[in-house]
Amino acid sequence: MSKVVKFGGSSLASAKQFKKVGDIIKADPERRWVVPSAPGKRDKKDTKVTDMLYACYDLAENNKDFSKALEAIKARYDEIIKGLKLDLDLSDEFATIEKNFKAKAGNNYAASRGEYLNGIIMANYLGYEFIDSATVIFFDENGNFDGEKTNEVLSERLSKCENAVIPGFYGALPDGSVKTFSRGGSDVTGSIVSKAVKADVYENWTDVSGFLIADPRIIDNPKGIDVITYRELRELSYMGAGVLHEDAIFPVRQMGIPINIKNTNAPEDRGTWIVGSTCQKSDYVITGIAGKKGFCAVNIEKDMMNSEIGFGRKVLQAFEENGISFEHVPSGIDTLTVFVHQDEFIDKEQKVVAGIHRLAKPDTIEIEADLALIAVVGRGMKSTRGTAGRIFSALAHKNVNVRMIDQGSSELNIIIGVSNEDFETAIKAIYDIFVETKL
Ligand code: ASP
């Protein structure tokens, strides 16, 4: 058995947190592969080291004095080193970073140093080998992650050691220069390493005990999710539920490796298991609820639309021509509605309308703004009768007017459109009916 353990920034923000992490790793000899983030916030007002690095490099790039900003970053690491009583001095590393900043090494390089330096400390603290991710994680000349080459080199490299620390968030382009994933990308590194070593589990350690059924800003103390499938998670994270980087799912999913989201501050908690498939029923019919505000609905009407071949394509072409992606397209016999993000759409509204007129020659076009979409997700819905009925009667009870309904063909989710102002009420009503009253 071998496990990959990835620790997020808040788990590594201070020496105290590092010690918790050390204890977690040492408690289980299967935790052989460690992927650290950069130090995160020690408290609410603190700044993540990654953000300090971006700001510091900004100064360097604009030929401003960045020595103080770099010193503040070094102080963050020195505090950790001192707190852990390590015999380690990062002065040479910082001299190299300073030199490279002066030579305008780029903000990807700058940001990556957060994980790189934390990796050096972690390896020293654990007595594990340090592997610079720039030597084992690769991007192609277009900046896209090169999964094949990475898997080949990384699995070969890791087969030669018993345990290692591989910093998260970055790799190298073909010319050797550093390239980072998008923000939060250490999750992706953890997944890539898990695939390369064919880990039994990818443990992703953070500061919460897994996913919650609904957003805690809307629901007081929502219940946690014990087990969720990759597909359910995709649906929920697409609709705004965040904890894990979206791209972190793909490498492990290919290999059927489960992800366990765990809490560094409460390691005994079971956390959430993310799995390929499961026969485990969740405690509730639904697995989770997520949603977003700020959508527009473009309603297009045309007599005999249903018999006109290519109508939908022509309408969508008007959106494509303007670089707008659509979210949902529910349709009736003579109507078709396109849901789009309001902030993407608003400036191009009249161009899109003109495009639809030109391409599809509709009778009328109406636009409605300030709508919210809510996804109710659950693998259990497929085999449960009356789920939709319960959702809609709960919403009717709370006087929420449903503007759109879309059930995915997978029967894994039901998407509901409501007005922005009904968003919170609707989520509360759905949570209540399935979780509180467990109907
Ligand atoms: N440190 C990077 C960030 O703040 C990457 C990560 O933590 O996953 O986005």
Side-chain angles (χ1 to χ4, degrees), residues 37-38 48 50 115 169 183-186:
S37 279
K48 285 171 133 197
T50 309
E115 289 32 41
F169 194 36
R183 293 299 302 264
S186 297

Side-chain angles (χ1 to χ4, degrees), residues 57 74 115 124 126 159 210 325 332 340 362 372 380 383 399 430:
Y57 184 72
K74 184 162 185 294
E115 289 32 41
N124 187 292
L126 295 172
S159 70
S325 71
V340 287
S383 52
N399 278 327
I430 298 167

Side-chain angles (χ1 to χ4, degrees), residues 81-244:
I81 292 171
K82 197 165 151 235
L84 296 175
K85 300 191 176 64
L86 299 179
D87 181 19
L88 178 68
D89 182 3
L90 294 178
S91 301
D92 287 351
E93 293 290 349
F94 272 91
T96 308
I97 292 171
E98 186 180 353
K99 197 177 90 216
N100 289 334
F101 274 28
K102 282 186 178 145
K104 312 267 162 74
N107 69 355
N108 276 243
Y109 166 80
S112 75
R113 296 305 87 183
E115 289 32 41
Y116 170 82
L117 295 167
N118 230 17
I120 293 177
I121 297 179
M122 177 69 90
N124 187 292
Y125 180 51
L126 295 172
Y128 282 15
E129 190 172 334
F130 172 78
I131 297 175
D132 184 354
S133 300
T135 63
V136 285
I137 290 185
F138 303 104
F139 293 84
D140 65 20
E141 49 283 341
N142 300 317
N144 297 319
F145 171 60
D146 186 342
E148 223 166 280
K149 181 173 171 198
T150 298
N151 202 48
E152 208 180 291
V153 175
L154 185 59
S155 50
E156 164 75 19
R157 178 74 180 81
L158 295 180
S159 70
K160 294 197 184 101
C161 47
E162 198 38 45
N163 36 42
V165 175
I166 309 106
F169 194 36
Y170 72 95
L173 287 163
D175 67 0
S177 62
V178 167
K179 159 113 182 99
T180 60
F181 293 104
S182 57
R183 293 299 302 264
S186 297
D187 284 341
V188 185
T189 310
S191 186
I192 291 165
V193 173
S194 301
K195 181 179 174 185
V197 298
K198 301 191 176 61
D200 297 280
V201 186
Y202 168 22
E203 289 181 347
N204 189 295
W205 292 81
T206 172
D207 52 9
V208 289
S209 294
F211 297 117
L212 300 170
I213 293 183
D215 188 337
R217 286 166 300 186
I218 300 173
I219 306 289
D220 279 341
N221 260 323
K223 295 257 177 347
I225 300 176
D226 290 341
V227 183
I228 186 169
T229 64
Y230 294 128
R231 283 173 66 209
E232 288 175 309
L233 182 63
R234 275 284 291 155
E235 304 274 356
L236 286 174
S237 32
Y238 184 68
M239 271 305 199
V243 166
L244 191 72

Side-chain angles (χ1 to χ4, degrees), residues 5-26:
V5 285
K6 178 261 167 179
F7 290 90
S10 58
S11 302
L12 300 168
S14 63
K16 191 172 149 219
Q17 290 298 87
F18 250 84
K19 282 182 191 156
K20 290 186 195 167
V21 167
D23 291 345
I24 289 168
I25 296 170
K26 295 290 177 191

